[in-house]
């Protein structure tokens, strides 16, 4: 039985600024810091490969000394709005109603809410009372692909069902005002907020790229490389500078065996649907695949237009491919990385 992705839709928060418009706020935040350090931070923002980003709060709120509770309250309020808007957009694209969804997976790691987003969506949209719920909260940037993997496995076991995966993230809500570490600064330079919704189906007559295979790859002894630490002021970013190098060194084990078990090589892949973790990771991937004639232009463009929106970002890249009306038979490889440290992969066929 085939499981297909039938629609993808993104939803952006209402606040947006170009990176050049954030620099004045940075200058104020950096007041009192050593002048050389200030120049380094500004240059990092200007060279991050992100031209614009969106946020659930305006820049004044991000740089205010608000409490963890205040920022998390904004996160909860806005995540519900964005999740509902993204889901409705994806349903409209597929000409479906909320009651047509049998399985709902919600994905977020940038705030805390119990009950989780899916409970609010079920009530607001009057979804089925027997719908199956799965909140995915602690897989970071990899969780958008993880959610699709979980949805695929549910649908594979249940013919004539549909699943929705809704990823909503607000990394700006995790910005630490009193933390001048490079992890906090780099994450602020590359991250933005956003939401996306994916509808999958095991109905034979519904159209979309088929999921041929999926797999996870876990790096040993790398738990400290990426994640959040819960501190009194909120979720403090953990981001090791060795992440791009670690990804590069593991790429052969991540990609080749996965393709080989599907009787393919990277030459057989027409489209790379990769998560843009940041400029250095994008450059690492480009160096690895550019010599093979493969490009990641859509990945680079998503980073440029929106920044890294954690789990939602790779879904923005996927939407661009879904909207291209690709020819039948084309092969796509989805890939994202997240805390653990882990890599998630999906093989698609149009």
């Amino acid at each position: 039985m085939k499981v297909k992705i039938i629609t993808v839709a993104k939803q952006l928060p209402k606040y947006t600024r170009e990176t050049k418009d954030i620099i004045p706020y940075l200058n104020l935040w950096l007041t009192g810091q050593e002048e050389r350090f200030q120049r380094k931070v500004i240059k990092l923002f200007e060279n991050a490969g992100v031209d614009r980003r969106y946020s659930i709060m305006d820049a004044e709120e991000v740089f205010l000394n608000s409490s963890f509770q205040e920022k998390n309250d904004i996160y909860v309020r806005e995540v519900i709005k964005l999740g509902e808007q993204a889901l409705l957009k994806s349903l409209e694209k597929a000409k479906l109603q909320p009651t047509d969804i049998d399985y709902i997976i919600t994905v977020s790691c940038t705030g805390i809410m119990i009950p989780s987003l899916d409970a609010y969506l079920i009530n607001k949209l009057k979804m089925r009372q027997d719908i199956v719920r799965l909140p995915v909260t602690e897989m970071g940037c990899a969780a958008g692909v993880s959610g699709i993997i979980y949805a695929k496995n549910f649908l594979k076991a249940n013919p004539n069902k549909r699943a929705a995966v809704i990823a909503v993230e607000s990394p700006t809500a995790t910005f630490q005002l009193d933390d001048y570490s490079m992890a906090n600064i780099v994450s602020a330079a590359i991250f933005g907020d956003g939401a996306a919704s994916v509808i999958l189906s095991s109905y034979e007559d519904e159209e979309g790229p088929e999921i041929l295979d999926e797999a996870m790859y876990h790096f040993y002894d790398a738990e400290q490389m990426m994640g959040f630490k819960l501190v009194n002021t909120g979720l403090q970013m953990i981001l090791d500078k060795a992440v791009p190098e670690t990804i590069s060194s593991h790429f052969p084990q991540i990609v080749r065996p996965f393709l080989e078990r599907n009787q393919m090589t990277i030459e057989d892949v027409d489209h790379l649907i990769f998560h843009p973790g940041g400029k250095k990771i994008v450059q690492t991937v480009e160096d690895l695949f550019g010599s093979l004639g493969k490009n990641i232009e859509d990945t680079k463009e998503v980073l440029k237009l929106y920044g890294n929106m954690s789990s939602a970002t790779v879904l923005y890249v996927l939407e661009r491919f879904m909207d291209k009306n690709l020819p039948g038979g084309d092969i796509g490889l989805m890939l994202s990385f997240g805390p653990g440290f882990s890599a998630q992969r999906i093989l698609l066929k149009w």
Side-chain angles (χ1 to χ4, degrees):
M1 183 180 59
K2 295 179 180 179
V3 174
K4 290 162 279 188
I5 297 173
I6 57 174
T7 59
V8 183
K10 66 177 178 291
Q11 179 63 46
L12 293 161
K14 61 181 177 180
Y15 297 107
T16 180
R17 287 181 186 264
E18 292 184 34
T19 295
K20 64 181 177 62
D21 297 325
I22 296 172
I23 302 303
Y25 294 95
L26 276 177
N27 287 327
L28 284 173
W29 179 62
L30 292 165
T31 300
Q33 297 295 309
E34 197 266 327
E35 193 174 321
R36 185 180 174 187
F37 177 73
Q38 292 188 39
R39 290 197 301 268
K40 180 181 179 180
V41 172
I42 300 301
K43 188 175 181 181
L44 198 155
F45 267 76
E46 291 174 340
N47 296 330
V50 180
D51 286 359
R52 176 180 288 277
R53 73 200 73 217
Y54 294 75
S55 176
I56 64 169
M57 59 187 87
D58 203 2
E60 286 89 350
E61 291 180 288
V62 175
F63 287 94
L64 280 175
N65 193 14
S66 53
S67 68
F68 179 25
Q69 180 180 338
E70 288 168 328
K71 282 189 175 176
N72 199 71
D73 284 347
I74 296 172
Y75 163 86
V76 171
R77 183 189 72 217
E78 297 301 320
V79 157
I80 294 169
K81 290 180 190 174
L82 290 172
E84 180 182 9
Q85 291 163 347
L87 177 55
L88 286 173
K89 272 188 181 179
S90 61
L91 288 168
E92 185 179 352
K93 273 188 176 182
K95 297 180 171 56
L96 296 172
Q97 298 300 315
T99 48
D100 293 323
I101 302 299
D102 305 282
Y103 187 31
I104 183 169
I105 299 173
T106 50
V107 175
S108 190
C109 69
T110 44
I112 298 170
M113 57 189 296
I114 301 173
S116 49
L117 171 61
D118 46 330
Y120 291 92
L121 296 179
I122 291 166
N123 282 280
K124 288 178 75 68
L125 300 179
K126 294 296 180 278
M127 302 178 84
R128 292 174 50 173
Q129 288 185 284
D130 63 349
I131 193 169
V132 179
R133 296 169 53 197
L134 177 63
V136 179
T137 60
E138 294 164 343
M139 297 186 77
C141 295
V145 174
S146 304
I148 293 175
I149 291 174
Y150 302 144
K152 186 260 184 178
N153 288 331
F154 171 86
L155 294 172
K156 192 75 174 174
N158 293 278
N160 298 326
K161 301 286 185 182
R162 300 183 188 93
V165 179
I166 305 105
V168 190
E169 299 284 14
S170 175
T172 57
T174 71
F175 178 70
Q176 298 292 301
L177 202 62
D178 298 322
D179 179 3
Y180 293 93
S181 69
M182 290 313 295
N184 188 48
I185 291 165
V186 169
S187 65
I190 64 174
F191 280 104
D193 301 350
S197 176
V198 182
I199 308 293
L200 300 93
S201 173
S202 57
Y203 282 87
E204 282 188 26
D205 60 341
E206 293 188 329
E207 297 297 322
E210 177 191 355
I211 299 178
L212 295 179
D213 199 6
E214 76 289 330
M216 298 185 182
Y217 177 91
H218 304 288
F219 297 62
Y220 286 135
D221 304 317
E223 307 96 323
Q224 76 289 345
M225 294 198 70
M226 183 186 291
F228 283 116
K229 179 182 180 183
L230 183 58
V231 296
N232 289 335
T233 51
L235 295 168
Q236 184 181 52
M237 175 64 71
I238 299 167
L239 189 61
D240 196 302
K241 63 181 181 181
V243 166
E245 181 185 334
T246 303
I247 289 172
S248 178
S249 65
H250 283 258
F251 243 105
Q253 301 100 296
I254 294 168
V255 173
R256 286 177 190 163
F258 178 62
L259 292 175
E260 284 172 2
R261 78 186 198 187
N262 289 280
Q263 293 78 52
M264 293 183 194
T265 66
I266 193 66
E267 286 77 11
D268 298 310
V269 176
D270 301 293
H271 311 291
L272 302 179
I273 309 163
F274 285 5
H275 169 73
K279 187 177 179 180
K280 285 187 177 179
I281 293 176
V282 166
Q283 287 173 339
T284 298
V285 173
E286 203 163 33
D287 291 344
L288 287 164
F289 292 105
S291 61
L292 300 171
K294 309 295 177 184
N295 76 76
I296 53 166
E297 291 306 312
D298 287 281
T299 288
K300 289 163 65 178
E301 192 70 5
V302 165
L303 182 67
K304 178 182 174 181
L305 294 174
Y306 312 108
N308 178 352
M309 300 161 286
S310 191
S311 65
T313 325
V314 74
L315 307 182
Y316 279 55
V317 182
L318 176 62
E319 184 193 41
R320 292 171 73 91
F321 284 96
M322 294 282 288
D323 289 347
K324 289 180 183 182
N325 296 315
L326 298 173
D330 274 16
I331 299 295
L333 176 63
M334 283 187 76
L335 178 64
S336 64
F337 300 90
F341 189 66
S342 67
Q344 325 286 35
R345 298 147 293 169
I346 292 175
L347 194 62
L348 297 171
K349 182 178 180 181
W350 267 261

